[in-house]
Amino acid sequence: MGRRAQAAAATLAQLTTPQKNVALVRMADALVAHIPELLAANDLDLAAATDLPAKFTDRLRLTKQRVQDMAAGLRQVAGLADPTAVIDRGWTTAAGLTIRQQRVPLGVVAMIFEARPNVTVDAAGLTVKSGNAVILRGGKEALHSNQALAQVLRSALADTAVPVDAVQLIADPDRRFATALMHLTDYVDVLIPRGGAGLIQAVVKEATVPVIETGAGNCHIYVDAAADLAMAEAIVVNAKVQRPSVCNAAEKLIIHSAVAPTYLPQLAAALTAHGVALRGDARARAIVPTMAPATAADWDTEYNDLIMAVKVVDSLDEAIAHINAHNTKHSEAIVTNALAAAQTFQRRIDAACVYVNASTRFTDGVEFGFGAEIGISTQKLHARGPMGLTALTTTKYLIDGNGQVRE
Amino acid sequence: MGRRAQAAAATLAQLTTPQKNVALVRMADALVAHIPELLAANDLDLAAATDLPAKFTDRLRLTKQRVQDMAAGLRQVAGLADPTAVIDRGWTTAAGLTIRQQRVPLGVVAMIFEARPNVTVDAAGLTVKSGNAVILRGGKEALHSNQALAQVLRSALADTAVPVDAVQLIADPDRRFATALMHLTDYVDVLIPRGGAGLIQAVVKEATVPVIETGAGNCHIYVDAAADLAMAEAIVVNAKVQRPSVCNAAEKLIIHSAVAPTYLPQLAAALTAHGVALRGDARARAIVPTMAPATAADWDTEYNDLIMAVKVVDSLDEAIAHINAHNTKHSEAIVTNALAAAQTFQRRIDAACVYVNASTRFTDGVEFGFGAEIGISTQKLHARGPMGLTALTTTKYLIDGNGQVRE
């Protein structure tokens, strides 16, 4: 599969933007044309998943509408700018060489993900658009669905300029094949795991191919002494409850002791009214005794649920130190009207996205204006924060001379 | 060491450019002030290295001049622009958020290298300048030299704003510590191996921390049918003989059959006159019978020596296919006056640097105008080709709102 992906990538890298766009539209058409077969395959997975929680089977389930949404996603990607149609910069050297830094595809992208069949389609669309071949390895609970989706997508490519092997799925659920993929250093240019913290950490600890770590979000909102308290309430409630299951939702509330005694009861009431279970440190519980006690483990936990831990601090420094010690380097926010506090927070917090007076929920490729999102990188190498199509590219230097040799 | 490096990195990231430059100058001063102790430590390594080849002990040897050169290198790095003093771009989103993408240090850089003590100083200088802490692990043959250098550099930091633990050296030569460093995913943001292909491949196959692969260079010069043959001779000779031990030296000559019969004898004579031993395929040997035969292994070998293998091809396509099948994605060159051939070569060759009518020897951070070089990346993630100080940085998004929440 590595060899076939590499060969497909070499062809893909030479295609024009319209050739890739035609393939994306054909992939979309094929999904819509094969809805009955796709739902039948999905039924096999759902029938085997009866012991699994409803939240899990909901993510696994395909419906006519969901397949149509996947197809719409592919058409939308076809409409985005081609990230490889860009020269980043150019200059002339002291020796008189002209250098252009041209964006090019990475080559072979691998993705290991859980039981969300939509990732199969999303990943295929984004990699084809950026000129990369992809090797997919989805969760075994979605195996029939993923096989059916991959089959439909590959068939759609058969009469396009994009090679069929641009999209390959590992059809055997044996873990050995996932492990082999993580060590395919001669063929895989980047591996992007998508899923829960357990999956991502397992990949990071095992893989020797280059990995982009995504998705873990233990995000904090710090309400400063100089905050606009009405704004703070709107931001905290939005960041916590608007979609609690996602990585850019806030998990922790840090509040300055100058405002906590009068303000925390009001904020706690607002959160509780939205169904949030609060867990406080001793000082927070002294103010709002109905909170459960937070344990040491709470400060490092991403709940992905309607739970929020609350800590009272005496200074901006204490807030920053706590956040840098416990965050996952994803998204952090301060609510303040004090310019110095805002600047210090942005300078000293170590995270992909550092907000002043806005909800952490904006950490998202589409909200950032990238048009699409491959994931949110929480590592520092190659890409950090929301990744658009450009994150699936690298560059090469094209150097033009007229006979230059080195002295 | 990982914890200490992380703490040092947090302090370093907040320093001003002048604070870092003062430390670099103090490091330079300290090296010059301690030349006798450094040479004495180096003598211990040299005394233990009597069984090793002269080429090896030459790289290991410190002299007064070499220490002064290292110090001059640190002063030169102090004069370069600070890569973290840059905002890459900024924009306003649909929701009215202002986003700035700020360059910041990576954090903790690890380097594993062979018996070249200068790497200790180079790496310390480049990491301090870019605001990173470094953990160094050099070859055991240079242990006394590296310990003495690290001790001098750390002492020099003692009365500066840069924490002493910005520069740490693993003093125990046991391989277990190198292996542990390769798996320190909670502390190391990037590991850069520097040395021969064996070291680099061992690190790539073992490490689970993010790695930047550097240095392997099986570079080709393709002399096209439409080449200026005098230019081609100058380029081939320069790329092969000017410094044959380095990664951007040419190892292979590919020559079009339209010019080979009359031109190859002249080019072979020029190379032979410079002491180059030639190894040809059957067609090249039919033209220049004094060449030794090239074996299949030759096409994948980086000689780092005055050896060059020669292949005759019938087309640009054949040249490109051969190069893409055997190169290390480092630097490749075509010599041609045909525009279409130049464009096709640059578009289809998969390498960090693709030259038209210039020597591959220009693949170098200083020649590119970056002022310094950490290494030459032959992988596609994060950095590709010559890496300047910017390759030791990442970015963070600073997002300013006025109360925005997500709908």
Side-chain angles (χ1 to χ4, degrees):
Chain A
M1 292 180 79
R3 271 190 293 270
R4 286 201 299 269
Q6 224 168 40
T11 302
L12 256 165
Q14 301 303 320
L15 299 183
T16 63
T17 307
Q19 285 175 312
K20 294 185 285 189
N21 290 344
V22 164
L24 289 164
V25 171
R26 294 274 177 83
M27 288 159 72
D29 291 344
L31 290 178
V32 174
H34 291 86
I35 287 175
E37 298 96 299
L38 294 171
L39 299 190
N42 185 243
D43 281 342
L44 296 176
D45 288 330
L46 289 169
T50 47
D51 292 347
L52 297 170
K55 203 167 158 181
F56 184 93
T57 52
D58 178 59
R59 287 198 294 247
L60 176 57
R61 177 168 287 111
L62 292 181
T63 63
K64 184 177 172 187
Q65 183 61 47
R66 285 181 176 187
V67 177
Q68 285 168 338
D69 289 347
M70 289 177 189
L74 290 173
R75 289 181 219 279
Q76 189 248 334
V77 169
L80 295 177
D82 184 337
T84 65
V86 174
I87 294 170
D88 275 7
R89 53 183 181 147
W91 70 98
T92 303
T93 73
L97 297 169
T98 300
I99 302 183
R100 286 166 291 158
Q101 188 172 18
Q102 169 77 51
R103 287 252 147 230
V104 294
L106 281 171
V108 177
V109 175
M111 296 198 84
I112 296 183
F113 54 103
E114 293 175 335
R116 288 175 181 256
N118 64 304
V119 176
T120 301
V121 178
D122 287 357
L126 295 168
T127 50
V128 165
K129 179 75 190 203
S130 52
N132 293 287
V134 70
I135 301 177
L136 299 158
R137 201 277 186 180
K140 64 178 188 299
E141 299 83 359
L143 189 63
H144 294 99
S145 310
N146 286 333
Q147 283 182 314
L149 287 165
Q151 180 53 41
V152 168
L153 297 177
R154 285 167 57 92
S155 303
L157 294 179
D159 55 353
T160 74
V162 174
V164 168
D165 284 332
V167 179
Q168 295 186 87
L169 175 78
I170 297 180
D172 190 323
D174 192 319
R175 276 187 67 87
R176 285 182 305 146
F177 295 100
T179 303
L181 183 62
M182 293 185 222
H183 292 272
L184 221 55
T185 50
D186 289 341
Y187 298 99
V188 171
D189 293 292
V190 64
L191 166 59
I192 306 176
R194 282 189 59 173
L199 170 76
I200 289 162
Q201 280 311 306
V203 169
V204 167
K205 299 279 182 201
E206 174 71 34
T208 55
V209 298
V211 171
I212 297 179
E213 205 173 331
T214 64
N218 182 23
C219 305
H220 300 70
I221 312 276
Y222 167 58
V223 178
D224 187 47
D228 173 328
L229 298 178
M231 183 195 290
E233 181 176 324
I235 289 173
V236 171
V237 170
N238 180 262
K240 180 66 259 178
V241 313
Q242 197 245 356
R243 198 170 168 204
S245 65
V246 293
C247 61
N248 59 18
E251 305 288 19
K252 304 295 175 321
L253 169 66
I254 313 294
I255 184 166
H256 194 284
S257 56
V259 292
T262 52
Y263 179 59
L264 187 53
Q266 166 194 338
L267 190 50
L271 287 163
T272 308
H274 281 91
V276 178
L278 295 171
R279 301 179 185 180
D281 71 353
R283 295 176 75 182
R285 294 183 69 228
I287 299 165
V288 182
T290 53
M291 287 186 197
T295 67
D298 274 297
W299 307 117
D300 296 305
T301 301
E302 182 180 4
Y303 305 117
N304 290 327
D305 206 346
L306 285 173
I307 303 169
M308 188 170 226
V310 184
K311 181 179 175 68
V312 177
V313 296
D314 288 323
S315 67
L316 175 63
D317 274 356
E318 190 183 350
I320 291 171
H322 177 87
I323 293 171
N324 280 339
H326 297 283
N327 77 345
T328 51
K329 317 297 179 205
H330 191 300
S331 299
E332 309 299 339
I334 183 173
V335 185
T336 188
N337 284 330
L339 183 58
Q343 289 175 337
T344 300
F345 190 85
Q346 286 192 322
R347 197 173 63 241
R348 287 181 46 203
I349 288 289
D350 185 14
C353 301
V354 190
Y355 290 84
V356 172
N357 294 341
S359 170
T360 54
R361 288 278 295 113
F362 285 102
T363 300
D364 174 273
V366 176
E367 288 294 335
F368 267 48
F370 300 162
E373 179 181 289
I374 296 113
I376 296 170
S377 167
T378 53
Q379 72 173 35
K380 294 180 180 176
L381 220 62
H382 185 71
R384 195 178 194 200
M387 295 188 288
L389 284 167
T390 301
L392 292 177
T393 66
T394 181
T395 61
K396 68 177 171 185
Y397 291 112
L398 307 179
I399 304 127
D400 293 321
N402 49 18
Q404 281 85 348
V405 297
R406 188 138 167 214
E407 301 294 316
Chain B
M1 290 180 81
R3 272 191 292 270
R4 287 201 299 269
Q6 222 168 43
T11 301
L12 257 165
Q14 301 303 320
L15 300 184
T16 63
T17 307
Q19 286 175 312
K20 293 185 284 189
N21 290 344
V22 164
L24 290 165
V25 171
R26 294 275 175 84
M27 288 159 72
D29 291 344
L31 290 179
V32 174
H34 291 86
I35 287 176
E37 298 95 301
L38 295 172
L39 300 190
N42 186 242
D43 282 342
L44 296 175
D45 288 330
L46 288 170
T50 47
D51 292 346
L52 296 169
K55 203 166 157 182
F56 185 93
T57 52
D58 178 58
R59 288 198 294 248
L60 177 56
R61 178 168 287 111
L62 292 181
T63 63
K64 184 177 172 187
Q65 184 61 48
R66 285 182 175 184
V67 177
Q68 285 169 339
D69 289 348
M70 290 176 187
L74 290 172
R75 288 181 221 279
Q76 190 248 335
V77 170
L80 295 177
D82 185 337
T84 65
V86 174
I87 294 170
D88 276 7
R89 54 183 181 148
W91 69 99
T92 303
T93 72
L97 298 168
T98 299
I99 302 184
R100 286 165 291 157
Q101 189 174 16
Q102 168 78 49
R103 289 252 146 228
V104 294
L106 280 170
V108 177
V109 175
M111 296 197 84
I112 295 183
F113 54 103
E114 294 176 336
R116 290 176 179 254
N118 64 303
V119 176
T120 302
V121 178
D122 287 358
L126 295 168
T127 49
V128 165
K129 179 75 190 204
S130 52
N132 294 286
V134 70
I135 301 177
L136 299 158
R137 200 277 187 179
K140 66 178 187 302
E141 299 83 359
L143 191 62
H144 294 98
S145 309
N146 287 333
Q147 284 181 315
L149 287 165
Q151 180 53 41
V152 168
L153 297 177
R154 286 167 56 92
S155 301
L157 293 178
D159 55 352
T160 74
V162 174
V164 168
D165 285 330
V167 179
Q168 295 186 88
L169 175 78
I170 297 180
D172 191 322
D174 192 318
R175 277 187 64 89
R176 284 183 304 147
F177 295 100
T179 303
L181 184 61
M182 294 185 223
H183 293 271
L184 221 56
T185 48
D186 288 342
Y187 298 99
V188 171
D189 293 291
V190 64
L191 167 59
I192 306 176
R194 281 190 59 173
L199 170 76
I200 290 162
Q201 280 311 307
V203 169
V204 168
K205 299 279 181 200
E206 174 73 34
T208 54
V209 299
V211 171
I212 297 180
E213 206 174 330
T214 63
N218 183 24
C219 305
H220 300 69
I221 312 278
Y222 168 57
V223 179
D224 187 45
D228 174 327
L229 298 178
M231 184 196 287
E233 182 175 322
I235 289 172
V236 172
V237 170
N238 181 262
K240 180 67 259 180
V241 314
Q242 198 243 358
R243 198 171 168 203
S245 64
V246 294
C247 62
N248 59 18
E251 305 289 17
K252 303 297 175 321
L253 168 65
I254 314 293
I255 185 164
H256 195 283
S257 57
V259 292
T262 52
Y263 179 61
L264 186 54
Q266 167 193 337
L267 189 51
L271 288 163
T272 307
H274 280 91
V276 178
L278 295 172
R279 302 179 184 179
D281 72 353
R283 296 177 75 182
R285 293 183 70 230
I287 299 166
V288 182
T290 53
M291 286 185 196
T295 66
D298 274 296
W299 308 117
D300 296 307
T301 301
E302 182 181 4
Y303 305 116
N304 289 328
D305 206 346
L306 286 174
I307 303 169
M308 186 168 228
V310 185
K311 181 180 176 67
V312 178
V313 297
D314 288 324
S315 67
L316 175 63
D317 273 357
E318 189 183 349
I320 291 171
H322 177 86
I323 293 170
N324 279 341
H326 297 282
N327 77 346
T328 52
K329 317 297 178 205
H330 190 297
S331 298
E332 309 299 339
I334 184 173
V335 186
T336 189
N337 284 331
L339 183 58
Q343 289 175 336
T344 301
F345 191 85
Q346 286 191 322
R347 196 175 62 241
R348 287 180 45 202
I349 289 290
D350 185 15
C353 300
V354 189
Y355 290 85
V356 172
N357 294 342
S359 170
T360 53
R361 289 279 294 114
F362 286 102
T363 299
D364 174 272
V366 176
E367 288 294 334
F368 267 48
F370 299 163
E373 179 182 287
I374 296 112
I376 296 170
S377 167
T378 53
Q379 72 173 36
K380 294 181 179 175
L381 219 64
H382 185 69
R384 195 179 195 202
M387 295 188 289
L389 284 166
T390 302
L392 292 177
T393 66
T394 181
T395 62
K396 68 177 172 185
Y397 291 111
L398 307 179
I399 304 126
D400 293 321
N402 49 20
Q404 282 86 347
V405 297
R406 189 138 167 215
E407 299 296 315

